[in-house]
Amino acid sequence: MPLQEAFLDDRNHLDDVNVVFLQRNDEVKRTMLPSEIRTMRQVQAAFCRAFNLSMAYLQQAYVRIYIQEPRGQLFYELDDPM
């Protein structure tokens, strides 16, 4: 496959994902999420993969996931609407 075609295939694949930065305490990991996130479990699964955590840990009542405003000033708790 010519290089230009490979680049276009990669770019089309990247249209289907979002690069996000996940933070746990002082550790930050870059990962990719599907462009359409529909459940909190999908977000939790990303944390499990990035930080080698168990789903059971993330589902404990005291564990919270926050989303940061693009300007980085405010954080909001992420709730599962379902």
Side-chain angles (χ1 to χ4, degrees):
M1 175 183 305
L3 184 59
Q4 185 176 6
E5 286 180 33
F7 173 75
L8 290 175
D9 284 347
D10 287 345
R11 192 172 63 192
N12 289 339
H13 171 70
L14 291 177
D15 290 342
D16 297 335
V17 297
N18 292 312
V19 175
V20 297
F21 294 90
L22 304 177
Q23 181 176 349
R24 180 175 183 242
N25 299 322
D26 292 334
E27 188 176 5
V28 177
K29 301 273 183 132
R30 184 180 72 141
T31 191
M32 289 190 258
L33 294 177
S35 60
E36 290 191 30
I37 299 291
R38 298 194 186 277
T39 67
M40 180 65 99
R41 264 187 105 73
Q42 289 175 294
V43 176
Q44 290 171 331
F47 274 91
C48 287
R49 286 188 305 272
F51 297 104
N52 197 28
L53 302 171
S54 70
M55 191 62 82
Y57 169 77
L58 288 173
Q59 292 175 338
Q60 294 182 53
Y62 64 87
V63 175
R64 302 280 189 255
I65 296 177
Y66 293 88
I67 188 166
Q68 186 176 4
E69 224 180 41
R71 292 191 176 128
Q73 301 298 320
L74 296 174
F75 291 84
Y76 300 97
E77 186 173 349
L78 188 60
D79 291 323
D80 195 351
M82 306 205 146

